[in-house]
Amino acid sequence: MASVTIRDVRKAFGNVQIIHGVNIDIADGEFVVLVGPSGCGKSTLLRMLAGLENISAGDILIGDRVVNHVPPKERDIAMVFQNYALYPHMTVADNMAFSMSLRNAPKAEIKERVDKAAKILGLEKLLERYPKQLSGGQRQRVAMGRAIVRDPQVFLFDEPLSNLDAKLRVQMRTEIKELHQRLRTTTVYVTHDQIEAMTMADKIVVMHDGIVEQIGAPLDLYDRPENLFVAGFIGSPAMNFIRGKLGSGGFLADGGFHLPVGAAPAGSDGKPVVYGLRPEHIRIDSAGVPAEVVVLEPTGSETQVVLRAGGQDIIAVFRERLTAKPGEMIPIAPSLPIAHLFDAETGKRLVA
Amino acid sequence: MTEAALPQSRRAPIREATAWDRLKTNRNWLGFWFMVPAAAFLILFLAYPLGLGIWLSFTDTRIGRPGEFIGIENYEWVLGDRKFQDAVFNTLFYTTIASIAKFAIGLYLAILLNHHLPFKAMIRAIVLIPFIVPTVLSAIAFWWIFDPTFSIISWTLKEMGWRTTNINFLGDTWNARWSVIFANVWRGVPFIAITLLAGLQTVPPSLYEAATLDGATRWQMFRFITYPLLTPIIAVVMTFSVLFTFTDFQLIKVLTNGGPAGATELMATMSYNTAILGGKIGEGAAVSTAMIPFLLGAIMISWFGLQRRKWQQGED
Ligand SMILES: Nc1ncnc2c1ncn2[C@@H]1O[C@H](COP(=O)(O)OP(=O)(O)OP(=O)(O)O)[C@@H](O)[C@H]1O
Ligand SMILES: [Mg+2]
């Protein structure tokens, strides 16, 4: 096991700069999730870590060794690919044993390790099968088994669950997390699914267009997003952004209504800002802003409502069942004492 | 459900299906009907000549004179004939060496072409040239290349001062054998290279990346990933290659016509020379019929090699 340090790493394909200087510190045994929209460079960063792409500038350290020019096989990392990349002509057991048999490890040791990994992942009965004869979830587990057998310093996962159906994804999510808690191997996990990131990570790295937007524990990102991008990316349904100005009476939306602001940042009177309001932090309050119900979407456990206030759509989620009908007006108010306020120009969080 | 059930009640009682009905609609029989035209075609143009050839080999037919059934007399004569034994040896030698060389060079070229090369498309086109040129044309070209006096190879070697005399490519027993093998390899490599290249391109790149992380060297990647994944295609292409080489005729006919002194006489050319030039159709037919067991043997070997491997099958 080892820590991983990424220092001002850049990557360009030809003239196109893809990664613009990324800094990430990953502690020994930590589970870090790289998350971001498609094309933001997550896979590229992961592949640089694995040694499958070379680094245009900056340093990558595993432990305290700079590995920029260390060939992949000497980096002692194992990777689970999005399409699993299982060897189709080898049985499950051979797939898992491949790396060890390349190193001419003794047969008994190979068997012992494969059996152990198979036991952890519940693959004992499938060892003689070929990848074609497995379900998606089983293949996913074999791919993990292949990584576990290696007993590497670092696990890398590139969207390992994106080929699975929703239910299996939830189940595998738990399994991977549990596995990490058992093995405590440093893990870098790439996904574009923010729920996966929130539920699995010790630490989330939000990326966007080749830069890191914010690094932090899942709940930190949720509670204190540093900018509009992170605010909109973390949380589902996404945070509502209401444009307006700060004034003496709090926040005045462009649509003409007021919202309370805990403690307004000093000297920001009249400044154009964006007021971030999470759908789950909206409550019904008779003294609140009247909003028209546009669409009601009950999911059973909660009700998602699209509201319109001051010409702007606002999404709200209520735990309780709502009797309102489309076209009716309901009064709403934020349920948190502290508002998320962002500078409308820079998108940065305004510190209260 | 209801829609399906309704019209049934109105319909007349269902009559027993006759044998003819079953013939018309049964899926297996339907398949049979679809096969009939193709089968007729094959019987007319493949099975008939084959059958005729085999029949002729049991007769003493000559050109211009219908023959009579003489049992296995032709075979007795052919098998005891020194020339035939030499032709079998030549054919086996020619096929074995040429096929191995074609496989090795073809695979090497395919792997080379699968990498990122400058002018990749052009190089691929160039590789295909020997395959596009008509056999007879390339045979004539080789005839010039191997010419006892005007050979460009001899000329080059002499210019470079490595030799003082011309090489007698086609006039010497072993020189002639190697020369025709060389020409055959030159012609056969593109087919194998391009087919194997197509096979190589079906191997997902992520397998190589996984193997890289697993610590495989380039050779180990070839040995444990590329090669096993390529075996089905290798089996197909090598079967074809062996069959074509074994029955090769044009190249030999133009280059050496079996000479010198039968050193490059293959079974195919011997059959032609005996039956058409020598007029002894029965004996010639026996020579070519004698090729069948060899060809069947080659097909059997590849058939077992070709059987879908377990890992290729979907369900068990
Ligand atoms: N080999 C390459 N050559 C040129 N550009 C590339 C190459 N590989 C990736 N890119 C570009 O780099 C950017 C980042 O790609 P990357 O695969 O890292 O995205 P990602 O964050 O993993 O996205 P996704 O969630 O869709 O997998 C993309 O714009 C892509 O077009
Ligand atoms: Mg990706």
Side-chain angles (χ1 to χ4, degrees):
Chain A
M1 277 189 272
S3 61
V4 175
T5 313
I6 297 172
R7 254 193 231 142
D8 198 28
V9 163
R10 288 158 199 276
K11 173 76 188 175
F13 289 107
N15 294 331
V16 191
Q17 182 101 9
I18 299 294
I19 307 260
H20 310 270
V22 163
N23 288 288
I24 305 172
D25 285 308
I26 299 166
D28 188 10
E30 208 168 21
F31 195 114
V32 169
V33 175
L34 297 184
V35 69
S38 188
C40 69
K42 309 177 295 284
S43 300
T44 308
L45 191 61
L46 200 70
R47 291 165 56 82
M48 287 197 283
L49 211 61
L52 296 172
E53 300 278 2
N54 43 32
I55 301 164
S56 303
D59 285 322
I60 291 183
L61 288 83
I62 297 180
D64 35 26
R65 183 167 69 135
V66 177
V67 295
N68 290 15
H69 299 290
V70 176
K73 65 172 172 174
E74 284 160 34
R75 295 191 184 193
D76 202 10
I77 35 133
M79 182 157 167
V80 176
F81 293 82
Q82 179 171 356
N83 64 358
Y84 315 139
L86 298 179
Y87 310 119
H89 57 295
M90 296 185 199
T91 59
V92 167
D94 290 342
N95 260 288
M96 295 208 275
F98 188 59
S99 62
M100 293 189 75
S101 58
L102 286 180
R103 273 180 276 132
N104 287 321
K107 282 242 155 51
E109 192 195 333
I110 297 182
K111 188 167 166 13
E112 190 196 314
R113 287 234 227 153
V114 168
D115 286 349
K116 197 173 142 207
K119 192 147 175 264
I120 293 177
L121 296 164
L123 290 169
E124 295 110 314
K125 294 220 178 68
L126 306 175
L127 284 176
E128 293 315 311
R129 297 247 195 125
Y130 288 93
K132 276 252 165 93
Q133 301 165 322
L134 300 177
S135 74
Q138 290 166 336
R139 281 181 213 173
Q140 211 281 332
R141 252 174 284 185
V142 177
M144 290 203 312
R146 197 164 63 173
I148 293 175
V149 166
R150 296 262 309 275
D151 190 19
Q153 304 247 31
V154 183
F155 279 133
L156 305 179
F157 291 86
D158 191 356
E159 306 199 19
L161 306 185
S162 58
N163 286 348
L164 304 180
D165 68 50
K167 198 164 173 192
L168 198 53
R169 210 179 295 178
V170 174
Q171 182 193 334
M172 292 306 298
R173 205 158 80 190
T174 323
E175 275 184 35
I176 293 178
K177 181 113 201 238
E178 206 179 282
L179 189 73
H180 177 254
Q181 278 160 5
R182 173 141 42 153
L183 302 176
R184 285 270 150 227
T185 307
T186 313
T187 303
V188 183
Y189 185 106
V190 163
T191 178
H192 58 245
D193 179 352
Q194 58 93 20
I195 305 236
E196 246 171 57
M198 291 295 284
T199 50
M200 299 174 83
D202 292 327
K203 187 153 96 185
I204 297 182
V205 178
V206 182
M207 290 184 66
H208 181 212
D209 281 349
I211 58 162
V212 170
E213 295 278 359
Q214 189 173 357
I215 300 180
L219 293 181
D220 284 349
L221 296 196
Y222 180 84
D223 290 339
R224 291 185 60 83
E226 297 219 341
N227 54 41
L228 280 174
F229 179 79
V230 177
F233 195 80
I234 300 289
S236 167
M239 186 186 273
N240 297 295
F241 293 135
I242 304 162
R243 301 192 158 270
K245 281 192 182 64
L246 276 183
S248 51
F251 172 81
L252 173 63
D254 290 348
F257 55 88
H258 282 271
L259 287 173
V261 177
S268 52
D269 264 15
K271 193 174 181 162
V273 293
V274 175
Y275 188 107
L277 183 55
R278 291 200 185 277
E280 56 273 32
H281 295 156
I282 295 176
R283 68 192 158 89
I284 297 176
D285 184 334
S286 51
V289 177
E292 182 194 346
V293 176
V294 181
V295 179
L296 268 173
E297 292 171 343
T299 62
S301 63
E302 53 193 31
T303 311
Q304 194 170 316
V305 190
V306 181
L307 301 164
R308 191 166 292 154
Q312 181 170 15
D313 280 358
I314 296 173
I315 297 184
V317 171
F318 299 107
R319 303 286 312 176
E320 64 269 30
R321 306 218 163 155
L322 231 60
T323 48
K325 299 210 167 42
E328 281 176 30
M329 302 295 282
I330 53 173
I332 55 165
S335 59
L336 281 191
I338 296 170
H340 301 284
L341 284 179
F342 302 94
D343 187 316
E345 269 162 42
T346 61
K348 292 251 180 304
R349 182 182 188 86
L350 292 177
V351 187
Chain B
M1 290 310 287
T2 43
E3 287 120 293
L6 265 179
Q8 200 147 26
S9 56
R10 261 185 259 133
R11 230 190 276 142
I14 296 167
R15 98 192 130 86
E16 277 297 302
T18 63
W20 175 240
D21 281 334
R22 260 179 257 148
L23 275 191
K24 273 193 303 187
T25 54
N26 182 292
R27 277 191 150 260
N28 295 330
W29 278 100
L30 205 65
F32 173 79
W33 295 124
F34 279 123
M35 261 167 50
V36 165
F41 197 79
L42 287 178
I43 287 169
L44 193 62
F45 292 106
L46 276 178
Y48 172 70
L50 185 69
L52 184 65
I54 294 174
W55 163 250
L56 284 173
S57 72
F58 291 107
T59 68
D60 59 355
T61 312
R62 320 212 137 221
I63 287 184
R65 176 170 69 80
E68 283 172 21
F69 183 78
I70 54 167
I72 58 166
E73 224 173 87
N74 285 332
Y75 290 96
E76 283 169 357
W77 172 81
V78 157
L79 289 179
D81 185 8
R82 204 42 235 263
K83 272 173 66 189
F84 175 76
Q85 292 159 7
D86 285 347
V88 171
F89 167 78
N90 288 339
T91 312
L92 289 177
F93 182 76
Y94 181 76
T95 308
T96 314
I97 304 290
S99 298
I100 291 173
K102 277 188 276 194
F103 173 63
I105 301 172
L107 184 60
Y108 177 75
L109 269 182
I111 291 171
L112 210 65
L113 290 179
N114 198 32
H115 282 109
H116 292 287
L117 291 174
F119 311 113
K120 192 150 139 184
M122 203 167 80
I123 296 175
R124 282 187 191 173
I126 291 174
V127 166
L128 267 178
I129 287 179
F131 189 55
I132 302 165
V133 179
T135 313
V136 176
L137 204 63
S138 52
I140 292 173
F142 270 105
W143 191 47
W144 270 103
I145 291 171
F146 293 144
D147 189 274
T149 32
F150 300 112
S151 164
I152 187 167
I153 303 176
S154 298
W155 181 82
T156 313
L157 291 179
K158 278 198 298 188
E159 284 292 302
M160 294 171 79
W162 289 359
R163 276 188 72 98
T164 51
T165 54
N166 278 345
I167 303 171
N168 189 5
F169 283 108
L170 301 176
D172 171 89
T173 307
W174 280 100
N175 279 356
R177 283 182 183 147
W178 290 116
S179 299
V180 290
I181 286 176
F182 182 84
N184 178 281
V185 170
W186 181 82
R187 247 198 89 66
V189 157
F191 170 62
I192 294 178
I194 296 296
T195 316
L196 292 184
L197 176 62
L200 284 178
Q201 288 174 342
T202 62
V203 181
S206 60
L207 291 191
Y208 294 117
E209 292 184 342
T212 308
L213 296 184
D214 273 344
T217 59
R218 289 217 147 200
W219 164 250
Q220 286 170 325
M221 278 190 228
F222 174 78
R223 171 67 192 78
F224 297 115
I225 294 174
T226 313
Y227 181 73
L229 289 177
L230 220 50
T231 42
I233 284 195
I234 291 177
V236 176
V237 73
M238 286 318 291
T239 308
F240 278 106
S241 173
V242 165
L243 295 189
F244 290 151
T245 315
F246 196 89
T247 56
D248 199 6
F249 175 81
Q250 291 181 61
L251 206 62
I252 301 286
K253 189 73 194 163
V254 175
L255 272 182
T256 63
N257 196 15
T264 59
E265 185 85 291
L266 302 187
M267 292 168 85
T269 53
M270 181 181 175
S271 163
Y272 178 84
N273 288 341
T274 312
I276 310 297
L277 301 184
K280 294 184 268 184
I281 295 203
E283 282 94 330
V287 172
S288 45
T289 305
M291 292 166 79
I292 294 176
F294 291 103
L295 296 176
L296 279 182
I299 292 173
M300 293 294 279
I301 291 173
S302 79
W303 191 72
F304 286 112
L306 257 180
Q307 275 189 332
R308 280 167 73 76
R309 281 161 191 72
K310 237 179 147 183
W311 57 265
Q312 289 181 293
Q313 282 156 10
E315 300 304 310
D316 45 13

